[in-house]
Structures are given as structure tokens and as C-alpha cells.
Amino acid sequence: MHESIILYLSLVVVIMFLVMLAQRIKIAYPIVLVLGGLALSLVPGLPSVEIDPQLIFLIFLPPLLYEAAWQTSWKDFWKWRRVIGSFAFIIVIFTSCVIAYVSQAVIPGFTLALGFLLGGIISPPDAVATTSILQNVKVPKRLIAIAEGESLLNDASSLIVFRFALVAVVSGRFVLTDAIGNFFLVIIMGFAVGLGIALVFYAILRWLPTTPSIDTVLTFVAPYAMYIAAEEFHFSGVIAVVTGGLFLSRNQHSILSHLSRIRGINVWSTVGFVLNGIVFMLIGLELPVIIQGFGEASLGEAIKYGLIISVVVIITRIASTIGSSIFTVFISRFITTADSSPGYRMPLIFGWAGMRGVVSLASALSIPILLDNGQPFPQRNMILFITFIVILVTLVFQGLTLPALVRFLRVEERDYEVSAQEQDVIIRRKLAKASLELINTKYASEIDDNELLQSLKYKLQSDIGFLDHVRDSEEEPAGHAYIARFQEINKELLEHKRHILHLFNKKETYEEEIIRQHLAQLDLEEEKVRQQFLHIE
């Protein structure tokens, strides 16, 4: 037990150093983590990491899906619902079919059921990898929105394909009509279960006297409750978590206090980071065990099969995105679409951004080691190795070349005519003016007698004057220097306040709890200033 704890703590430390390395060399951290996991697997004497395959989905998927759903923009999700839906269901099933038939034809001993199993594993792209790679590249907002929305739903459809293929391998029979009927049943009922449990948590958070700490704990309980309840009745736990997460996220401002939201965001971002990091490294750490179980197949043959399947995955993805663009142009003659002329540049980038990641790893690792009759699961290690190769090729090759492709194609923002900086200034100016008008009209008689209200009024007037200056200024570099100087001085002031608070804390007559409250307030103030000028810098 102690050795396992030390191993996983060491793994977390290694993940942090690798992420810092990725930031230093300006490469997306999933790429570095996968390569780091591969390098660690080659270290002599490193203990093997053994994980119960049955627990992979239960440990990793619910919180990762819930966090993704919580961060998803419902407005963007609904705007691009047709594209997201087609790639989340139709394209996933199409990709699974292509991989199934190609793998059956290419890999000796592969049945069609095993091909569908492999297809279900590697068909869904990973939004974490895509967004981490594109965060330092200027791309249209729709690309990120569609990729994130697709990853929420394609996880569900791919896992359903995976489930049916797994049953077919274990039982030796597969009936298409039964599979289609069950496909829609598990989706619809998964949606119902997720929404039902979300309503229960909504009621608890809305009407019971919870605290920020209780609220944060409940947000961790919710995804597991949704997933376990749905899976208990053999419905889609993924759809349940996504549905419940989207519902609670959209209603967060009516069920959570401001402090609960602040704490929840901080906790969830950390947990999501750690879980993603662990999963990206796990397959590399288990690589030696996978290779040892090949049996008659050689490592060279396994690499060849993995590269073939990787090429098929990439070509199928790009063909699907280009085909979807052509179909959109055609269908826009008959129905209203979000973009009737998407062109080829955006679909090509979207197709090249189809990196595989977390869900593929979790699916591959969850394949049972033995069948019900006690026999080894056929081709399990080959499937695991091919999955690793596909993730490695798509993450490293496509991930490293994606920024260059974006810069080469020079895709412009087509959905937002106003830049992010201009939007930020307009919104902040409107809020400040509305607040000032409210004070001047409703509380005019109290301003002269209340120094705090006077200070608030002067601050709002100062904010409006500054925003007018930013809006009308033609000297953008000078404005940036102006803001940078303010932030530098403000940071020095905050550090000076912290120093004074620490001096107070050395005196026996002052409670440390009071000092900590003031220190926390300074932290919030510093973050507020940073966020205030985030789009203006």
C-alpha cells in the first residue's frame, strides 16, 4: 500500500515538472506527458503500474466529463448543435465502421467485432489536447466551441459502440437491429437519468442551507451519482454526466453563491489537471507489459499496424470534415444553417485537430483481461498498443504541426466583428454607466452623507473615463505601457500590504484568522485587477 501511494505521488510530481517543461518549450502539455510516460516506461527497475480495468471509467470519466460540461458555453453549443451532433454521432459511427473493416482486413486474427471495439476506442478526438495546443494560436472561436461540444457527446457515442462491440466479442454474436434499438435507448434513458439526478442536486443547492465547502463536495458527488445510476441500469453514464453537468452549469448563478463558484472553479481546475495528466501518462507506463503480451506478433508488426490505423484515422477525419462542409453548402439551400459557406480552411484545421487522448486511453485500459470463461481477452495487448500508437501519432505529429497549419491557412474570425478587447470595453463601460446612473437617481440624497457611496461613485466615474480613453485611443502601445505601469505599482502596493499584515501577525494581540482573511482579500483584489485588464493588455 505504501509503495503504491509513493508511486502515484511521485507520478504527480513528475507530471508537474513535465507540464512546467512544456510551458518552457511552448509545447502543449499532453504531448510532453505522453512522451514522458513513454520515457518513464523505459527506465530500468521502475515498478509496473497495475490498474483494475473495471475502475478506469468510474475513477476518471465522471469528473473529467463533468468539468468539461461545466466549462462548455451553452450558447455556442446550441449555435453549432448540428455540426456537433453530426460529428458526435454520425462521424463517430462512420469512423468506427471504417476502422473495423480496415483492421479486419489488415491485422491477422482480427474479427469484425474486435475491429468495432478498436473503432469505438479511437474514434473520439480529445478536446483537452486540441484546446491546449490551440490556446497560444489565434483561431476562430467557433473552432474551439465545436471541438469542445463534439468531445462531450462523441465520448458517449464511442463508448456505446465500444460497449456493444465488447458484448459481441464476449458473447460471439451481434444483431444489428438490436444494437440500433439499444443505441437510442441507452442515449435517451441516459439523458433522463442525468437530468433527473441534476434536478435533485439543483433542489439541494437551491433550497437547503449549504455552505461553500458543502457545495464543492456536492459538485464532486454529482457526476459519480449520475454515472453510477445510469450504468446501474445499463444506460449511458456519459450522457447522464454530460446532461446533468450542462443543466447545473447553466443554473449555477441561481444555485451557488459567489464564494462557492470561486472555490469550485479553483478546485475543479486542479482536479481536472491532475486526472488528465495521470491518464495521459498511464498508457506509456504500461507499455512494457503490453509489448510482453503480444504473443506471436512482433513489435515491428504491431508498430506497422498502429501506423496504418493512424493514417486511416487521420484520413477519415479530414474526409469527414471536408465532406461535412460540402454537405452544409448543399443543405443550406433548404434549411437555415449557422454558416452556409464554411469553405475548406476551417474544416481542414478542424480535421487536423482530431487528436486522440483521455477517453481513448480509458477505454483501452478498461478492456477486461479475461473473458467470462477464463480465457484471455483476444488481441487485448494489440488493441492497447495500437491505441497508444494512434494517440502518439495524432498528438505528436498532428499536435506539433497544427499551429503551423493554422498560421499557413490564415483563417479569420467570422462570427465576432468586434474584437475581444472592444467587447470587453463596451461591456465594462455599460456596466459602469448603468451603476452610476442607479446611484445618481436612486441614492442621490444619500451620497453627500455616505463617504463609502462617494468613493464608489468616484471609482465608477474614473472607470468610465479610463474606458473612454481606451476606446478612443489610437496609440495602442502607449495604452499597454500605461496599464502595465499601473499593474506594476498596484502589485507593489499589495505586496506592501501583505508585509504589514505579516508584521501584525507577529504580535500576540492580533488573531491569525483575521490576518488570513485580509490576506485572502488581497489575493482576490490582485486577481480582480489581472482579470480587469486581461483583454486590454
Side-chain angles (χ1 to χ4, degrees):
M1 176 63 72
H2 292 288
E3 293 180 355
S4 298
I5 293 176
I6 293 174
L7 176 62
Y8 283 103
L9 287 176
S10 303
L11 182 60
V12 172
V13 173
V14 171
I15 289 172
M16 290 189 293
F17 277 105
L18 288 176
V19 171
M20 288 188 283
L21 174 63
Q23 293 175 341
R24 172 70 65 178
I25 62 179
K26 299 186 183 306
I27 295 179
Y29 79 86
I31 298 176
V32 178
L33 288 179
V34 169
L35 294 176
L38 178 60
L40 282 177
S41 69
L42 304 178
V43 176
L46 187 72
S48 60
V49 178
E50 296 291 338
I51 296 181
D52 184 354
Q54 299 297 327
L55 297 180
I56 289 295
F57 285 142
L58 182 60
I59 293 175
F60 291 102
L61 281 188
L64 290 175
L65 291 169
Y66 190 78
E67 185 206 12
W70 197 268
Q71 300 298 330
T72 297
S73 166
W74 178 258
K75 182 172 69 174
D76 290 336
F77 186 86
W78 183 254
K79 179 179 180 180
W80 301 107
R81 62 191 181 279
R82 292 193 182 96
V83 179
I84 291 172
S86 63
F87 276 88
F89 295 102
I90 299 174
I91 301 303
V92 163
I93 295 174
F94 172 69
T95 304
S96 299
C97 291
V98 172
I99 294 172
Y101 284 100
V102 170
S103 59
Q104 182 193 29
V106 171
I107 305 173
F110 243 64
T111 63
L112 194 59
L114 287 172
F116 272 107
L117 184 66
L118 178 61
I121 291 172
I122 62 177
S123 57
D126 183 79
V128 173
T130 302
T131 52
S132 63
I133 290 171
L134 293 177
Q135 65 182 355
N136 295 322
V137 184
K138 187 178 180 180
V139 294
K141 299 294 189 297
R142 70 168 68 175
L143 182 64
I144 303 297
I146 294 173
E148 291 178 344
E150 176 200 10
S151 71
L152 279 179
L153 298 180
N154 67 15
D155 292 344
S157 56
S158 65
L159 291 175
I160 293 171
V161 173
F162 170 81
R163 176 189 294 178
F164 289 143
L166 191 61
V167 172
V169 173
V170 173
S171 64
R173 58 186 297 272
F174 180 80
V175 180
L176 182 61
T177 54
D178 293 344
I180 294 175
N182 289 331
F183 183 85
F184 289 103
L185 176 64
V186 296
I187 289 177
I188 294 172
M189 293 308 298
F191 174 86
V193 171
L195 183 59
I197 295 180
L199 288 171
V200 174
F201 279 89
Y202 175 90
I204 294 173
L205 294 167
R206 180 80 182 267
W207 290 300
L208 292 184
T210 61
T211 64
S213 297
I214 293 175
D215 291 342
T216 303
V217 173
L218 287 174
T219 60
F220 277 97
V221 175
Y224 288 104
M226 297 167 188
Y227 185 87
I228 293 173
E231 291 292 325
E232 186 68 23
F233 294 100
H234 305 290
F235 303 138
S236 174
V238 173
I239 287 290
V241 174
V242 170
T243 302
L246 287 173
F247 176 82
L248 293 176
S249 173
R250 193 176 185 188
N251 293 280
Q252 61 178 293
H253 289 278
S254 63
I255 60 177
L256 296 176
S257 66
H258 71 285
L259 190 55
S260 296
R261 291 192 295 272
I262 291 173
R263 289 186 180 180
I265 289 173
N266 293 333
V267 171
W268 271 102
S269 62
T270 303
V271 171
F273 163 75
V274 173
L275 291 179
N276 273 304
I278 291 175
V279 176
F280 271 115
M281 293 192 70
L282 277 180
I283 194 71
L285 293 173
E286 291 202 350
L287 186 61
V289 179
I290 296 170
I291 294 176
Q292 292 173 7
F294 275 151
E296 298 180 357
S298 67
L299 180 60
E301 290 176 332
I303 294 175
K304 180 183 71 174
Y305 300 145
L307 293 176
I308 292 173
I309 298 300
S310 299
V311 172
V312 171
V313 167
I314 294 173
I315 293 176
T316 304
R317 172 75 177 181
I318 295 176
S320 299
T321 56
I322 299 297
S324 176
S325 176
I326 296 172
F327 179 76
T328 299
V329 174
F330 168 76
I331 202 66
S332 61
R333 301 175 185 175
F334 307 99
I335 62 174
T336 302
T337 58
D339 186 357
S340 59
S341 181
Y344 74 91
R345 289 184 175 88
M346 181 72 70
L348 183 57
I349 294 175
F350 187 49
W352 199 252
M355 282 77 72
R356 271 56 180 176
V358 171
V359 173
S360 295
L361 294 180
S363 300
L365 289 169
S366 68
I367 297 176
I369 299 175
L370 300 175
L371 296 173
D372 293 340
N373 58 10
Q375 295 295 318
F377 193 97
Q379 303 284 357
R380 182 181 189 271
N381 289 298
M382 180 65 75
I383 293 174
L384 284 171
F385 187 81
I386 291 175
T387 302
F388 173 80
I389 294 295
V390 170
I391 293 171
L392 188 65
V393 169
T394 55
L395 264 181
V396 177
F397 175 59
Q398 289 182 279
L400 292 177
T401 56
L402 181 59
L405 180 64
V406 172
R407 289 190 289 267
F408 175 76
L409 293 177
R410 297 179 181 178
V411 181
E412 300 293 334
E413 179 64 65
R414 300 170 60 180
D415 301 308
Y416 301 97
E417 297 180 358
V418 181
S419 67
Q421 175 181 330
E422 292 174 305
Q423 292 178 53
D424 181 65
V425 171
I426 292 171
I427 292 173
R428 286 170 54 192
R429 187 177 183 276
K430 179 66 175 177
L431 292 174
K433 287 196 67 176
S435 301
L436 186 60
E437 290 173 3
L438 177 65
I439 290 176
N440 287 332
T441 56
K442 191 173 181 179
Y443 303 103
S445 61
E446 300 180 42
I447 292 177
D448 293 337
D449 300 327
N450 192 321
E451 294 183 0
L452 290 176
L453 278 179
Q454 292 176 20
S455 176
L456 178 59
K457 177 182 176 180
Y458 296 150
K459 182 182 183 305
L460 290 171
Q461 290 174 335
S462 176
D463 288 345
I464 293 172
F466 168 73
L467 293 170
D468 287 339
H469 170 75
V470 172
R471 183 190 59 183
D472 301 331
S473 177
E474 296 180 358
E475 300 179 2
E476 187 174 337
H480 288 187
Y482 177 76
I483 294 169
R485 184 57 179 164
F486 166 76
Q487 290 182 317
E488 181 182 346
I489 295 173
N490 183 72
K491 186 174 181 179
E492 184 178 351
L493 288 174
L494 292 174
E495 289 299 326
H496 186 60
K497 290 180 180 179
R498 290 187 179 101
H499 175 69
I500 293 174
L501 287 171
H502 287 304
L503 292 178
F504 269 110
N505 199 32
K506 293 180 180 180
K507 300 178 180 180
E508 294 293 335
T509 54
Y510 293 93
E511 297 180 32
E512 185 170 355
E513 182 61 28
I514 303 297
I515 304 298
R516 288 182 177 179
Q517 291 175 5
H518 282 279
L519 288 171
Q521 187 64 37
L522 292 180
D523 291 340
L524 289 174
E525 186 177 339
E526 183 173 356
E527 178 62 16
K528 180 182 178 181
V529 171
R530 190 189 74 84
Q531 292 290 339
Q532 187 176 9
F533 299 105
L534 191 61
H535 294 289
I536 300 179
E537 293 178 327

